[in-house]
Amino acid sequence: MNIILLGPPGAGKGTQARYLVENRNMVQLSTGDMLREAKDSGTEMGKMVAGVMARGELVTDEIVIGLIKEKLESDTTHDGFIFDGFPRTLEQADALADLMKFEGQRIDAVIEMRVDDDALVERITARSTCGNCGEVFNDNTKPIPADGKCDHCGGTEFKRRADDNEESLKIRLMAYYKQTSPLIGYYYAKGLLKAVNGLGEIEEVQAEIAAALKG
Ligand code: AMP
């Protein structure tokens, strides 16, 4: 089963994708993670996208489609892909449809994670992740354990994303509404869209997604 997690920054796509990876043997394809990796390892492409990402704008369709194409061709041992943060434009959605067709696969469901803007600001500005396993923490609702160790892997280094600040978030939200939200209609028309309330507890959202994927 191949699915897309669609939603604004801070909706919980990454958190839910991690859960699906661990429980359903799926592979997470996060273009945000791939781009950050390129940036951190200092590749030419990474240097090119660094400024755009820091501002909160979208990188070109060509770059992200290339990244996804590479992964679709190389990752095979799993029970499906979770597209997290991709597609983000109609052009990317069309390209993904073509790539999947070429691979003899299809998108089975698109989960739209709904969260209101105020909650997004709170989540994003309070968010940090374990530098080792990527577990997500929130200063208010799920703080880093008092012993300074990640409760998932025991890691002791935690990171905050450079673009997790109010200024970048405004631009990321604008990009979401302007360039990405048209995908809601695009996938609704294909009969693939399932909306879940992304505001609940992590376990509640997990259950809603599981129900959406069943029926
Ligand atoms: P994310 O981790 O999904 O929030 O992505 C972080 C940043 O990477 C975004 O603000 C964009 O600058 C860039 N990015 C990630 N995925 C895409 C995509 N599918 N299309 C364009 N830019 C992307």
Side-chain angles (χ1 to χ4, degrees), residues 9 13 30-33 35-36 49 52-54 56-61 64 84-89 92 127 161 163 172:
K13 301 184 297 292
S30 156
T31 40
D33 285 348
L35 291 166
R36 275 185 290 279
V49 299
V52 175
M53 288 177 76
E57 295 162 6
L58 295 188
V59 311
T60 64
D61 290 332
V64 287
D84 161 11
F86 180 92
R88 259 177 157 97
T89 64
Q92 292 176 24
R127 148 165 106 172
R161 273 171 52 169
D163 59 348
R172 287 158 72 195

Side-chain angles (χ1 to χ4, degrees), residues 119-187:
L120 296 175
V121 176
E122 188 282 325
R123 282 188 183 180
I124 290 271
T125 51
R127 148 165 106 172
S128 59
T129 54
C130 170
N132 182 47
C133 74
E135 184 74 358
V136 183
F137 295 90
N138 178 295
D139 297 341
N140 307 312
T141 56
K142 191 190 169 198
I144 294 165
D147 64 0
K149 285 189 186 156
C150 170
D151 53 7
H152 192 253
C153 73
T156 53
E157 277 187 29
F158 300 89
K159 303 191 285 195
R160 283 190 197 267
R161 273 171 52 169
D163 59 348
D164 274 354
N165 57 70
E166 271 194 61
E167 202 181 318
S168 296
L169 179 60
K170 253 189 222 153
I171 301 186
R172 287 158 72 195
L173 274 178
M174 238 175 331
Y176 178 76
Y177 288 121
K178 198 168 166 191
Q179 292 164 278
T180 307
S181 67
L183 296 181
I184 296 170
Y186 175 97
Y187 286 117

